[in-house]
Amino acid sequence: MDSLSPETLEIFAGRIGWAGAEIWARQLPGDHFNRTDRVDLHLGGSERSLLVKRYAPYGGDRGKKASVEFQALSWLNASDVPVPEPVYLDQEGKLFGCPAIATGFVEGRPIYRPEGNQANWAADLARSLAAIHATPCGTQADEFLLDANRETTWFLNGGQVPGFMAKNPDGIRVWRTVAELAVRLDPGHPGLVHVDYWPGNVLWHRGSIAAVIDWEEAAYGDPAIDVAYARMELILNGLNEAADRFTRCYEQAAGRQLKNLPFWELVAAARPMYEPDWAAEVGPQLRHFISRALEAVEREWGEMC
């Protein structure tokens, strides 16, 4: 995507109450598909920093993604969950040329492997996730959010084992087990689900979580989806003890034991399989993660495929 033009930035500044401000904008690195620019505004003695995220033509309706992310941030912000402040929604791309949102800029960086106390780090991640899942979204959930359970089991849609799973040594068994259990799940306590909750989407500043970011896939469904994906990321990074600590602290903060977690761990395992280089890089850890999930499934549901 092209840089934001001076004319677009001037109109944008006026619409958010900063007409006449001096404006600087620069692209931030890291987005795989979308483009995010930091926009700094200076007016008199006041300053404000924002992020403008424009959605690339990838992975479905871009306007829907913009709307989902903006609405999720609005609910979370109202519940004092640490997320960027939603500032401006351009769902149809009339201003920015494609669907986009603007949010407040949050100082911080992700921590993938803490140098200090991993137990405290995992506990903070867990408590943050429990607060997300406790966020009320009322009767508007169906209107704004995707179906988390259906979105995350996308690899079942074809009715047969997809090629990328068939090539993985555990893929066929994982697919068959997920397909068989999908119709037998306890609905549990559905709520707002991030769908991509992992250390890379959590910003830290001065020892505390500053913001959870990247909400374009926010959905409504089983909270165990987020726990499973976060656990997988920790285990694939060799942080097995932190993963178990994360789970215990989440259940304590949420005030209930998780249902369906082994099922959602198998669902999460399809993501690395879809990217052969990633699956090859974490092969032994992934097989260990899948093996533990299959053992837990058999204890909970009986012998499966």
Side-chain angles (χ1 to χ4, degrees):
M1 287 182 230
D2 294 334
S3 299
L4 294 167
S5 70
E7 295 78 15
T8 297
L9 290 169
E10 287 179 11
I11 296 171
F12 170 62
R15 290 185 181 178
I16 62 170
W18 282 72
E22 296 181 81
I23 309 171
W24 289 267
R26 66 181 187 277
Q27 182 178 7
L28 297 183
D31 274 331
H32 295 292
F33 306 111
N34 306 312
R35 171 164 175 157
T36 301
D37 290 87
R38 175 171 172 171
V39 177
D40 294 307
L41 303 161
H42 299 257
L43 183 61
S46 300
E47 299 179 356
R48 190 176 190 187
S49 295
L50 303 172
L51 296 182
V52 174
K53 179 178 180 179
R54 288 177 283 168
Y55 297 83
Y58 175 90
D61 183 349
R62 291 180 292 167
K64 175 68 173 178
K65 288 180 178 289
S67 173
V68 162
E69 183 153 15
F70 193 86
Q71 185 59 59
L73 290 174
S74 299
W75 286 326
L76 292 156
N77 197 260
S79 295
D80 294 325
V81 175
V83 294
E85 176 194 2
V87 175
Y88 186 83
L89 171 63
D90 185 11
Q91 184 171 348
E92 298 179 0
K94 292 181 178 179
L95 175 59
F96 291 111
C98 63
I101 64 169
T103 67
F105 172 77
V106 179
E107 190 72 42
R109 64 180 183 87
I111 298 176
Y112 301 96
R113 180 185 287 271
E115 297 178 0
N117 191 313
Q118 292 184 1
N120 290 344
W121 171 77
D124 285 348
L125 287 173
R127 285 190 284 266
S128 174
L129 184 58
I132 288 168
H133 293 160
T135 299
C137 43
T139 58
Q140 295 178 302
D142 290 341
E143 179 182 352
F144 287 102
L145 300 178
L146 304 171
D147 182 325
N149 298 30
R150 184 162 52 237
E151 290 294 319
T152 51
T153 56
W154 54 273
F155 53 87
L156 298 179
N157 292 345
Q160 59 184 2
V161 183
F164 72 90
M165 294 187 77
K167 294 176 182 177
N168 186 278
D170 297 305
I172 293 175
R173 188 178 181 194
V174 167
W175 189 92
R176 288 176 176 170
T177 304
V178 170
E180 184 172 339
L181 285 179
V183 296
R184 297 167 53 188
L185 285 183
D186 187 309
H189 298 79
L192 176 64
V193 177
H194 186 285
V195 179
D196 195 20
Y197 189 83
W198 70 293
N201 280 331
V202 181
L203 303 182
W204 296 76
H205 186 60
R206 296 178 179 176
S208 300
I209 292 178
V212 179
I213 61 173
D214 197 7
W215 289 89
E216 67 182 66
E217 296 182 13
Y220 190 78
D222 191 339
I225 291 169
D226 283 340
V227 179
Y229 185 60
R231 276 181 53 81
M232 181 184 73
E233 287 287 349
L234 296 177
I235 289 172
L236 296 189
N237 201 24
L239 300 173
N240 293 35
E241 291 185 8
D244 290 340
R245 167 75 169 166
F246 171 83
T247 308
R248 292 193 300 270
C249 290
Y250 173 86
E251 290 182 331
Q252 183 178 23
R256 62 178 180 272
Q257 287 190 321
L258 287 161
K259 296 182 178 180
N260 309 324
L261 181 59
F263 170 84
W264 292 115
E265 288 182 331
L266 294 177
V267 171
R271 294 197 195 186
M273 294 181 193
Y274 188 70
E275 300 182 35
D277 291 342
W278 183 16
E281 180 183 350
V282 299
Q285 299 97 310
L286 180 60
R287 298 210 72 181
H288 172 70
F289 177 74
I290 291 171
S291 175
R292 286 183 58 179
L294 286 170
E295 290 173 2
V297 162
E298 290 183 3
R299 287 194 302 271
E300 188 168 342
W301 284 282
E303 187 173 352
M304 303 297 297
C305 301

